[in-house]
Amino acid sequence: MTSDRITRKLSGEFGIGIAFILEFALFAFASPYFFTPDNLLNVSLQASITAIIAAGMTFVILTGGIDLSVGSLVAFAGIVATSLLKTGLPPAAGFAVAIVTGLAIGALSGAFAGFCITRFNIAPFIVTLATMTIWRGAAFVWTDGRPVWELPEGFAFLGTGRILAVPVPTIIMILTFIASHVMLTRTRFGRYVYAVGGNIEAARLAGIRTGRVLINVYILSGALAALSGILLASRMNSGQPNAGVAYELDVIAAVVVGGTSLSGGAGSIVGTFIGAMLIAVLRNGLNLLNVNSYVQQVIVGVVILLAVMLDQIRRKRK
Amino acid sequence: MEPLLAMQGIIKRYPGVLALSGVDFTLQAGEVNCLVGENGAGKSTLIKVLSGAIVRDAGSIRIEGNEAHLDSPADAQRLGIGVIYQDFKLVPALTVAENILLGTEPVVGRSPFIDRKGMDEKASAALGLLGEEIDTRSPVGHLSVAKQQMVEIAKALSRNVRILAMDEPTAPLTEWETANLFKVIRSLKDRGVGIIYISHRLEEIFEVGDRVTVLRDGAFVHACGINEIDRRGLIRKMVGRELENEYPRAVLARGTEILRIENLSSDRVSNVNLTLYRGEVLGLAGLVGAGRSELARLVFGADRRTGGRIFLDGKEIAPESPHEAIREGIGLLTEDRNRYGLIMQMSIRENISLSSLRAMLTGPFIDRRKEETAARQLSDDLRIKAPDTGVIVENLSGGNRQKVVLARWLNTKARVLIFDEPTAGIDVGVKYEIYTLINRLAREGIGVIVISSDLPELLGICHRVAVMCEGELTGIVEGTEATQETVMTYAHKNRR
Ligand SMILES: Nc1ncnc2c1ncn2[C@@H]1O[C@H](COP(=O)(O)OP(=O)(O)OP(=O)(O)O)[C@@H](O)[C@H]1O
Ligand SMILES: [Mg+2]
């Protein structure tokens, strides 16, 4: 019985976990540089931006929704935050205002999308397709198409700094994933997210305020996209209106490879983490092996497909 | 002569559960063989093996003496096997006609285009056999459960079946529709169709059955002609022990008023006035479509009210959503557990605690231990058949799913509980326990309203029965004068 329960618990992330370990072993074998602390930390840094967004996206997809606006929010939140850094406030206050405002923009965008989805019953795909276009446009309008340069010193630390050799974005990513995992598995909100994704009408009749749950997942997704946008701006030491283009696709890929079902109700944060890492390690490994970047795209695409196929087969057999 | 169908030594294993452990089953042409047994006994599993929906681990299936290759639903259809599943397999977004003719759509001449008119005609014809008039162009998702059931049956009929299996077809139907269904069954019999009939309503077994086959815990227990056994004997074979009484009658101790509704109205309910007292079990009777579920949903804030007032313990409440109703202390066990009750991918435990998570918290976190304790307690009380409370609900048998929704509401500590078809699909043994439980709730001062299409059940457990017809309350019958006749008179009052 207990072994039964353990398989049940593991089965969600089992297949992808194995795939990840295999991939890891393969690259470690093929490239001597791959399995060095330097390189691994580098991979985590590279993965961090999309992985943080993927954590939020997991909540959205679990409810059966989708958030296409994250890539544009990365740019817009980055622009707003970097612009605010140049208002001449004392550094500490300036940083705080910039970051808080950046995050608030992400959250508000999510709240707006969630409101449209629940209040007017518009499909999430459509609503976030619209906000995606709006924020991308807004980023260009705000800056007139030019990057925001000459940021105060110290801001770059967020994106490029290290604490005990670990990149700051990596640390933020890990904290985000721990918090998201706890929220999803241990709180009422997390439980409601699964319930809404599993059967929204049954959830409503069980007394769950489904509209509120939906709005909250988009707020979370928006805020985490904005957080990534700020980290990216810091890493590039500038606000770029064309930052984060097509990130939504990488993010969705990570979530789906991690075993979360696009129809909602099933999946996990742990899966998303492994999914994001699997893709990042793949890119890194192929780089180390000097695989041409066009070929890389083909391989990444094939691996995404294989991972999802394996997952489907596993589900069928259960 | 070879039997129409002979299943032998059928074995089906699920992780941790042996659903069928070598079951034998035979069916003659033109007979109704009733399959009975407790919840989780393996009845539906046996039907699914026959329909090719699941693949058996071992055992043989012969049709008229020939080994049948039965590995997929397509095989079953080719062999003339039709199945009406316990949990319908209709496509909600498609129309009635599209569902009935799914996969067998008529085309215009030899073109690839669907013959719309032909479809409507064929669909109406199949529904006509059932004496049903349903708009063949309305989406199935908009129909009531009872109507959906009719569509499901029509779908099977439209395919010229030789063997027809019905898994609890009458669970959502009332007497009238049931009587209709029985007429259809008899005419199918006359045409030589063999019918497998599953039901937890034993009176039906004795009414339409020719033979009866009993399963218990996945094993074959008994088979005999329907005349060779009586109700008591059948129950004994099913549950493996003697059952004294089917309805525990609680002594009425009517207390103070707990719920009062005045002139409650919506587009499906008009001007209903009703008072519920502590200590009583109030029944709500009526035909399908009479507005009973709709009334319950209004009180529960699930649908929009157009008028009227609700008083709970003398204080007016105006729940705008189920969330608010639950906070006020009103609970509603909805009909149609699959559509409105359960989150299929969630475990038994998570489904039970879903409406009472607030009480399961330690700080901001759900306390697994509190949650598990409550879920374990309730699933033992209701005898939910599963290895543990972590099993996902999708893997439970129909009756056991119903127990899970029931458990959820028992866990909420509501002041008023409305049960819409609480015993749908539940076996006789557990039914008795649910009745006892309902009585206990009433005795503890909780206001209890029971909606049921099973009239003997309502009369057996309720102190008063309110009857509805076409959205109106047409009468209230008190304990002793409550008979099937009086209730039926009120139920037809507005009809002709
Ligand atoms: N997909 C599945 N995975 C695991 N166990 C299953 C699955 N389907 C059914 N079972 C188990 O098999 C057993 C038999 O189930 P089945 O649905 O045949 O019962 P039943 O006799 O139809 O009961 P009911 O009267 O409640 O409908 C049950 O214990 C059930 O939990
Ligand atoms: Mg069943």
Side-chain angles (χ1 to χ4, degrees):
Chain A
M1 207 102 324
T2 36
S3 78
D4 239 32
R5 207 175 306 175
I6 290 165
T7 28
R8 224 164 28 220
K9 243 190 138 114
L10 282 181
S11 65
E13 293 88 28
F14 193 64
I16 164 109
I18 299 265
F20 182 58
I21 291 168
L22 277 179
E23 179 195 59
F24 216 82
L26 198 77
F27 285 132
F29 184 74
S31 160
Y33 178 66
F34 176 78
F35 199 63
T36 59
D38 256 8
N39 184 52
L40 294 182
L41 287 173
N42 190 23
V43 174
S44 74
L45 174 63
Q46 242 129 48
S48 61
I49 301 288
T50 46
I52 289 171
I53 310 175
M57 185 71 83
T58 308
F59 285 80
V60 172
I61 293 184
L62 276 174
T63 64
I66 196 99
D67 187 352
L68 298 177
S69 69
V70 290
S72 300
L73 268 176
V74 163
F76 189 63
I79 296 263
V80 171
T82 47
S83 306
L84 286 175
L85 283 175
K86 302 177 67 169
T87 49
L89 284 169
F95 281 13
V97 167
I99 292 173
V100 168
T101 312
L103 293 178
I105 282 191
L108 280 175
S109 162
F112 173 71
F115 177 77
C116 293
I117 290 164
T118 54
R119 194 50 181 273
F120 302 111
N121 232 331
I122 315 176
F125 187 95
I126 309 288
V127 172
T128 58
L129 187 67
T131 49
M132 164 173 132
T133 314
I134 293 170
W135 295 130
R136 179 65 65 194
F140 278 97
V141 172
W142 183 296
T143 60
D144 226 354
R146 284 185 294 271
V148 183
W149 291 114
E150 289 158 4
L151 305 179
E153 234 168 84
F155 180 61
F157 179 76
L158 267 185
T160 56
R162 294 187 175 234
I163 297 174
L164 299 174
V166 184
V168 174
T170 300
I171 296 172
I172 294 179
M173 169 182 75
I174 291 171
L175 292 178
T176 304
F177 271 86
I178 292 175
S180 301
H181 178 72
V182 170
M183 196 152 41
L184 201 51
T185 54
R186 307 269 333 262
T187 69
R188 271 195 296 169
F189 170 65
R191 189 65 65 76
Y192 292 168
V193 165
Y194 281 103
V196 166
N199 184 343
I200 191 165
E201 184 58 9
R204 185 178 81 95
L205 291 169
I208 295 172
R209 278 173 287 188
T210 52
R212 186 180 283 209
V213 173
L214 284 177
I215 289 176
N216 282 336
V217 298
Y218 288 94
I219 289 179
L220 191 63
S221 168
L224 286 176
L227 174 62
S228 277
I230 295 168
L231 292 178
L232 187 64
S234 158
R235 218 169 123 199
M236 299 187 301
N237 212 10
S238 65
Q240 304 273 358
N242 58 357
V245 169
Y247 272 21
E248 59 278 355
L249 299 181
D250 288 353
V251 167
I252 294 168
V255 176
V256 171
V257 167
T260 295
S261 148
L262 275 179
S263 50
S268 72
I269 283 289
V270 177
T272 296
F273 185 74
I274 303 177
M277 289 305 137
L278 185 120
I279 295 175
V281 164
L282 185 63
R283 291 231 160 89
N284 172 265
L286 294 174
N287 270 335
L288 291 181
L289 298 180
N290 284 323
V291 176
N292 149 335
S293 71
Y294 301 135
V295 177
Q296 279 195 26
Q297 290 196 24
V298 175
I299 296 181
V300 171
V302 169
V303 167
I304 290 175
L305 205 56
L306 277 178
V308 176
M309 250 149 49
L310 273 178
D311 197 53
Q312 280 302 327
I313 293 170
R314 179 185 59 77
R315 269 170 223 263
K316 268 259 171 63
R317 280 189 31 198
K318 263 211 306 187
Chain B
M1 209 186 78
E2 293 283 354
L4 176 60
L5 169 72
M7 301 175 83
Q8 249 169 12
I10 307 290
I11 293 177
K12 176 67 197 179
R13 192 184 295 279
Y14 288 113
V17 183
L18 186 55
L20 296 173
S21 58
V23 169
D24 297 342
F25 182 84
T26 54
L27 179 69
Q28 304 290 345
E31 99 174 341
V32 177
N33 193 338
C34 299
L35 196 54
V36 298
E38 291 176 294
N39 295 132
K43 305 179 294 295
S44 299
T45 306
L46 190 68
I47 297 305
K48 286 182 193 154
V49 165
L50 180 65
S51 73
I54 59 176
V55 180
R56 59 190 186 274
D57 295 334
S60 79
I61 301 179
R62 287 167 171 277
I63 292 181
E64 288 173 339
N66 305 316
E67 187 69 33
H69 292 281
L70 232 179
D71 299 318
S72 72
D75 289 341
Q77 218 172 74
R78 195 168 35 75
L79 290 164
I81 298 171
V83 175
I84 291 154
Y85 291 103
Q86 183 170 16
D87 311 310
F88 318 138
K89 296 282 190 279
L90 297 174
V91 188
L94 295 184
T95 66
V96 170
E98 283 164 347
N99 265 290
I100 291 179
L101 297 165
L102 195 64
T104 60
E105 294 88 352
V107 290
V108 181
R110 291 172 152 267
S111 73
F113 300 108
I114 290 176
D115 176 4
R116 289 253 144 215
K117 230 174 114 221
M119 253 177 98
D120 287 335
E121 278 163 15
K122 283 195 169 184
S124 306
L127 286 166
L129 286 178
L130 296 165
E132 276 294 321
E133 275 181 40
I134 300 176
D135 178 9
T136 53
R137 300 212 165 175
S138 65
V140 157
H142 293 183
L143 301 179
S144 68
V145 203
K147 295 282 182 209
Q148 289 191 25
Q149 176 70 284
M150 286 299 165
V151 172
E152 185 87 54
I153 296 169
K155 181 175 169 182
L157 292 184
S158 77
R159 296 166 196 232
N160 294 326
V161 292
R162 281 193 296 170
I163 298 172
L164 180 60
M166 303 185 173
D167 198 351
E168 299 187 34
T170 54
L173 306 186
T174 50
E175 315 261 307
W176 187 79
E177 288 136 331
T178 302
N180 235 329
L181 177 66
F182 286 175
K183 262 187 245 155
V184 176
I185 290 181
R186 292 199 183 95
S187 82
L188 287 173
K189 263 173 64 172
D190 292 342
R191 287 171 23 203
V193 176
I195 292 169
I196 304 171
Y197 188 90
I198 300 179
S199 178
H200 287 293
R201 297 188 181 168
L202 300 184
E203 53 278 20
E204 294 175 2
I205 308 282
F206 287 97
E207 192 178 339
V208 286
D210 298 308
R211 291 179 61 75
V212 60
T213 304
V214 185
L215 300 186
R216 195 192 310 145
D217 287 330
F220 171 87
V221 174
H222 188 75
C224 65
I226 199 71
N227 300 325
E228 299 162 40
I229 196 162
D230 63 0
R231 193 181 170 99
R232 245 183 123 84
L234 190 56
I235 292 175
R236 193 169 50 232
K237 293 279 185 223
M238 284 170 65
V239 303
R241 65 196 151 84
E242 198 74 40
L243 208 63
E244 282 311 312
N245 205 332
E246 277 185 61
Y247 301 110
R249 171 71 79 162
V251 201
L252 172 64
R254 185 184 289 183
T256 49
E257 166 193 313
I258 182 157
L259 179 77
R260 185 171 82 246
I261 55 186
E262 288 180 359
N263 300 319
L264 204 57
S265 300
S266 74
D267 41 356
R268 314 274 300 272
V269 173
S270 44
N271 280 316
V272 171
N273 289 288
L274 194 61
T275 306
L276 173 70
Y277 300 94
R278 280 199 177 72
E280 74 167 346
V281 178
L282 175 68
L284 214 46
L287 305 176
V288 165
R292 298 166 301 164
S293 300
E294 287 76 10
L295 179 63
R297 288 172 61 98
L298 283 187
V299 175
F300 188 56
D303 290 339
R304 196 172 293 281
R305 258 183 306 158
T306 54
R309 309 167 77 182
I310 305 170
F311 297 87
L312 188 63
D313 271 326
K315 185 178 134 262
E316 178 158 10
I317 57 168
E320 294 290 330
S321 67
H323 176 80
E324 288 178 25
I326 292 171
R327 219 175 31 194
E328 299 286 1
I330 298 176
L332 168 65
L333 171 98
T334 49
E335 63 177 342
D336 196 350
R337 55 183 169 254
N338 296 315
R339 190 144 58 124
Y340 300 130
L342 295 164
I343 315 289
M344 285 294 169
Q345 297 105 320
M346 279 191 166
S347 65
I348 296 175
R349 169 169 47 76
E350 290 166 329
N351 267 289
I352 290 180
S353 64
L354 198 59
S355 298
S356 47
L357 280 179
R358 188 182 292 274
M360 309 284 156
L361 298 180
T362 298
F365 300 118
I366 298 170
D367 187 331
R368 280 279 160 76
R369 210 163 316 142
K370 283 187 197 166
E371 199 188 7
E372 172 65 20
T373 312
R376 171 91 48 88
Q377 179 69 48
L378 282 159
S379 72
D380 287 349
D381 280 359
L382 296 174
R383 289 202 266 130
I384 293 173
K385 197 181 161 210
D388 59 72
T389 60
V391 173
I392 65 165
V393 165
E394 195 166 27
N395 291 344
L396 295 183
S397 79
N400 283 301
R401 288 181 187 177
Q402 181 70 19
K403 296 181 205 167
V404 173
V405 211
L406 199 61
R408 176 191 301 160
W409 292 108
L410 296 178
N411 206 24
T412 55
K413 315 277 179 291
R415 282 192 282 172
V416 171
L417 272 173
I418 310 174
F419 297 105
D420 197 350
E421 306 287 354
T423 59
I426 283 185
D427 71 51
V428 268
V430 179
K431 262 184 194 166
Y432 186 84
E433 268 148 65
I434 289 176
Y435 300 146
T436 316
L437 230 140
I438 286 176
N439 282 335
R440 199 181 77 207
L441 293 174
R443 214 169 37 243
E444 287 167 0
I446 292 168
V448 183
I449 299 178
V450 178
I451 300 174
S452 174
S453 299
D454 186 347
L455 203 44
E457 166 177 292
L458 272 191
L459 298 175
I461 61 166
C462 297
H463 301 111
R464 275 193 311 158
V465 178
V467 192
M468 291 185 72
C469 179
E470 296 183 347
E472 288 175 24
L473 194 75
T474 47
I476 296 182
V477 276
E478 299 270 344
T480 45
E481 59 187 80
T483 61
Q484 302 228 10
E485 288 72 39
T486 45
V487 170
M488 284 323 270
T489 317
Y490 286 122
H492 283 99
K493 195 166 177 184
N494 291 354
R495 293 196 176 194
R496 202 184 283 256

